[in-house]
Amino acid sequence: MGLDRSYLETSVWKPDLFKGKVVFTTGGAGTICRAQTEALILLGADAAIVGRNKANTDKAAAEMAQLRPGAKVISCAETDVRQVQSLVKAVEKTVRELGKIDFVIAGAAGNFLCDFNHLSTNAFATVVGIDLLGSYNTVKACFDQLRKNKGQILFVSATLHYYGIPFQAHVGAAKAGVDALSNALAVELGPLGIRVNCVSPGPIAETEGFKRLVREEKGYDKTIPIQRYGSVRDIADATVYLFSPAADYVTGTVQVVDGGSWHMGSRGSHHLYPHEVARLNAEQLSKL
């Protein structure tokens, strides 16, 4: 899981591609965002790992600092993306210790399976708060650095709102908002030299989302046009491309990295549908 120095030996990217650059990553201690940041570090960048859990964030930052000799990776632990002032403090620490911010990965997210009948207003608001408001707050806190350095923003979205998928109303609504936010910012911030894009992972093996949503049914990978599950490296490579000079004219896009699986419909939850929806609806009606 994750990347190591062998990435440099097998990658198509030039070593030191991001030498002198600094990336600020929310959710950087998680699986996907960690791999995204690891790729940038291996290719020369320094990084700030932003998260709420101090032990996990500190540990991830320390491990990632070992990826490249001379790499500077700091932990911005105990940061709540729902509170913009919490992010402002993380930005201040990053600039103080690393000098600047060039790239922002807004990847902090929350997810769980829950049907509408059992999804409380607070639970819905929590996911929207982390995924959507958190993404907005991240850019807001980093904006001065992004404007000064003609930086770049990458939101981590999803494909859950491309079609109706049960038990994911909260996340689908939040990620649809992230896509809309990205589109608007690409237009508004483009004249400032700031590029804004989204990356939308599909079924990425060995991630928490994969375990919760796909549950690795036998043969499910064969329903994906590319005939395999994705890896965190697939997302990392898409991230490198979007931040690289090769994408200098690319902004306002959503880069779907899912092997074509979203074209197959909401197959990821078919093991729960429709019988589980019917059961939960009946259970809720019995309480009325």
Side-chain angles (χ1 to χ4, degrees):
M1 193 62 198
L3 305 183
D4 55 34
R5 288 189 62 80
S6 65
Y7 179 76
L8 294 174
E9 300 169 2
T10 58
S11 172
V12 300
W13 311 109
K14 291 182 179 179
D16 294 332
L17 177 62
F18 298 123
K19 185 176 181 179
K21 300 294 187 180
V22 175
V23 58
F24 182 92
T25 305
T26 64
T31 48
I32 287 176
C33 293
R34 175 167 176 163
Q36 291 175 287
T37 308
E38 286 174 338
L40 302 181
I41 294 169
L42 286 163
L43 294 170
D46 293 327
I49 309 305
V50 184
R52 278 187 294 175
N53 185 289
K54 180 171 174 55
N56 290 347
T57 307
D58 287 351
K59 182 174 182 288
E63 291 173 350
M64 293 161 79
Q66 303 304 311
L67 287 170
R68 191 189 82 247
K72 296 179 181 178
V73 182
I74 66 170
S75 169
C76 295
E78 299 178 319
T79 300
D80 187 343
V81 297
R82 294 169 294 181
Q83 304 296 326
V84 70
Q85 286 305 314
S86 182
L87 280 159
V88 167
K89 291 179 180 178
V91 168
E92 290 173 346
K93 178 179 180 180
T94 301
V95 174
R96 185 170 60 249
E97 298 190 21
L98 300 181
K100 61 175 180 172
I101 294 172
D102 299 287
F103 304 144
V104 170
I105 297 175
N111 194 3
F112 49 86
L113 289 173
C114 190
D115 68 296
F116 172 77
N117 283 336
H118 293 82
L119 183 66
S120 71
T121 297
N122 284 341
F124 185 92
T126 295
V127 171
V128 172
I130 295 171
D131 290 37
L132 179 54
L133 179 60
S135 294
Y136 180 86
N137 286 343
T138 299
V139 176
K140 199 74 170 175
C142 293
F143 180 63
D144 286 344
Q145 282 294 305
L146 289 166
R147 176 168 51 186
K148 178 180 179 180
N149 301 314
K150 295 187 184 300
Q152 299 174 47
I153 302 162
L154 185 64
F155 295 105
V156 180
S157 189
T159 62
L160 299 169
H161 52 291
Y162 295 1
Y163 44 79
I165 181 169
F167 314 113
Q168 291 287 275
H170 45 316
V171 188
K175 294 302 189 183
V178 168
D179 285 6
L181 174 64
S182 179
N183 291 341
L185 292 182
V187 174
E188 287 193 28
L189 305 185
L192 300 177
I194 300 171
R195 292 195 294 109
V196 186
N197 292 287
C198 288
V199 62
S200 294
I204 306 300
E206 298 183 27
T207 62
E208 190 62 31
F210 181 89
K211 294 172 185 175
R212 293 181 182 182
L213 302 180
V214 179
R215 300 189 182 180
E216 199 161 2
E217 291 185 31
K218 183 178 180 180
Y220 175 68
D221 56 329
K222 299 307 178 186
T223 69
I224 299 171
I226 294 296
Q227 299 287 287
R228 67 171 177 87
Y229 297 119
S231 69
V232 293
R233 177 168 175 161
D234 291 319
I235 309 303
D237 281 334
T239 301
V240 172
Y241 162 68
L242 289 169
F243 280 151
S244 78
D248 271 353
Y249 203 54
V250 178
T251 194
T253 70
V254 178
Q255 180 66 64
V256 177
V257 186
D258 75 341
S261 62
W262 84 265
H263 291 290
M264 304 302 292
S266 55
R267 301 292 297 273
S269 60
H270 69 86
H271 61 291
L272 298 175
Y273 187 84
H275 55 279
E276 187 68 3
V277 173
R279 185 189 70 78
L280 290 169
N281 285 342
E283 177 184 297
Q284 192 72 5
L285 285 170
S286 70
K287 297 178 181 178
L288 298 179

